[in-house]
């Protein structure tokens, strides 16, 4: 799961949102630099990732992407799943996605002073390019994936992965709702 799902699963807790944002950018030895409540969000992020990575539906979808994208298939699938969440947002949340996204950006912005350089850069890109609402369109996730491809040191094929979403759309869309309900039961 990518940022939108992590934020959604954080509920209205600002510290969980910030911790979930930092989850992939903070090593365990750095946890001592953050308040306990934010560390809980980091731990929640890792729990979500562990559950997700071990789930049979995720493994099946990664296998569909692996021949072309190899170890980047998980990153790509995270973006695809945020696309499915964004497109079914009203089913899961009572606040419209653009309003929710603005609230998340404001929440994250209140805590910028504690972010390391990597997190500041990620937040800057996220807010500038409005990733959370961009996830709701093919064009938006295509731009997110192309941006990520430019920032990787290795050839990832992320810049062409939108073709894989089109190719596997029906099965991934159908499986997403099953997986996401299981993830919600696990985390909430």
């Amino acid at each position: 799961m990518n940022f939108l799902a992590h934020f959604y699963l954080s509920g209205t807790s600002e510290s969980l949102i910030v911790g979930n944002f930092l989850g992939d950018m903070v090593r365990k030895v750095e946890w001592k630099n953050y308040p306990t409540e934010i560390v809980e969000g980091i731990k929640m992020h890792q729990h979500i990732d562990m559950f997700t990575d071990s789930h049979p539906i995720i493994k099946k979808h990664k296998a569909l992407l692996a021949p072309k994208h190899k170890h980047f298939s998980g990153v790509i699938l995270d973006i695809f799943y945020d696309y499915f969440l964004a497109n079914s947002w009203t089913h899961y949340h009572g606040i419209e996605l653009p309003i929710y996204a603005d609230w998340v950006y404001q929440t994250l912005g209140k805590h910028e002073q504690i972010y390391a350089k990597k997190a500041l850069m990620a937040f800057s890109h996220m807010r500038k390019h409005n990733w959370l609402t961009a996830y709701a369109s093919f064009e938006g996730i295509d731009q997110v994936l192309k941006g990520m491809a430019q920032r990787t040191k290795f050839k990832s094929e992320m810049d062409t992965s939108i073709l894989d979403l089109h190719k596997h759309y029906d099965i991934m869309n159908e499986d997403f709702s099953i997986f996401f309900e299981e993830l919600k039961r696990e985390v909430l």
Side-chain angles (χ1 to χ4, degrees):
M1 304 308 299
N2 207 45
F3 290 115
L4 183 60
H6 281 281
F7 297 148
Y8 168 82
L9 293 166
S10 298
T12 58
S13 169
E14 289 192 14
S15 56
L16 288 180
I17 287 170
V18 172
N20 262 297
F21 170 67
L22 294 172
D24 284 332
M25 296 179 254
V26 177
R27 297 181 323 222
K28 194 167 185 171
V29 297
E30 299 169 313
W31 290 7
K32 65 184 179 301
N33 301 331
Y34 296 96
T36 305
E37 302 82 25
I38 290 177
V39 172
E40 289 307 310
I42 294 168
K43 290 177 182 177
M44 181 183 189
H45 181 109
Q46 294 178 344
H47 179 73
I48 291 166
D49 285 356
M50 286 174 49
F51 178 84
T52 299
D53 291 343
S54 65
H55 198 281
I57 288 175
I58 300 303
K59 289 180 179 181
K60 175 175 85 171
H61 292 180
K62 281 183 181 178
L64 294 172
L65 300 173
K68 179 178 172 187
H69 301 289
K70 302 183 180 26
H71 69 275
F72 290 100
S73 61
V75 174
I76 293 165
L77 189 59
D78 285 348
I79 302 293
F80 288 179
Y81 268 43
D82 267 9
Y83 166 83
F84 292 121
L85 176 57
N87 277 279
S88 55
W89 186 256
T90 56
H91 174 76
Y92 295 105
H93 208 288
I95 298 174
E96 292 179 24
L97 183 56
I99 295 167
Y100 177 79
D102 286 342
W103 175 75
V104 168
Y105 299 143
Q106 289 173 11
T107 299
L108 293 173
K110 288 187 224 175
H111 300 274
E112 282 182 280
Q113 72 280 2
I114 67 167
Y115 301 160
K117 184 178 178 181
K118 183 178 179 181
L120 278 171
M121 220 163 59
F123 177 54
S124 174
H125 285 291
M126 177 189 290
R127 183 171 44 187
K128 179 180 178 183
H129 300 289
N130 197 5
W131 288 355
L132 300 181
T133 59
Y135 291 144
S137 71
F138 284 122
E139 297 81 14
I141 61 167
D142 188 38
Q143 288 304 309
V144 168
L145 289 161
K146 284 178 178 175
M148 291 171 69
Q150 290 175 347
R151 292 187 295 276
T152 60
K153 296 176 185 173
F154 306 101
K155 185 159 177 57
S156 65
E157 301 276 347
M158 282 190 277
D159 55 333
T160 63
S161 60
I162 194 72
L163 300 173
D164 299 288
L165 179 57
H166 288 292
K167 180 178 178 182
H168 304 294
Y169 184 90
D170 290 336
I171 188 68
M172 287 184 175
N173 186 38
E174 184 179 318
D175 287 347
F176 168 78
S177 57
I178 297 166
F179 166 76
F180 200 64
E181 289 301 325
E182 291 179 21
L183 176 60
K184 283 174 33 184
R185 281 192 298 274
E186 174 70 18
V187 175
L188 301 179

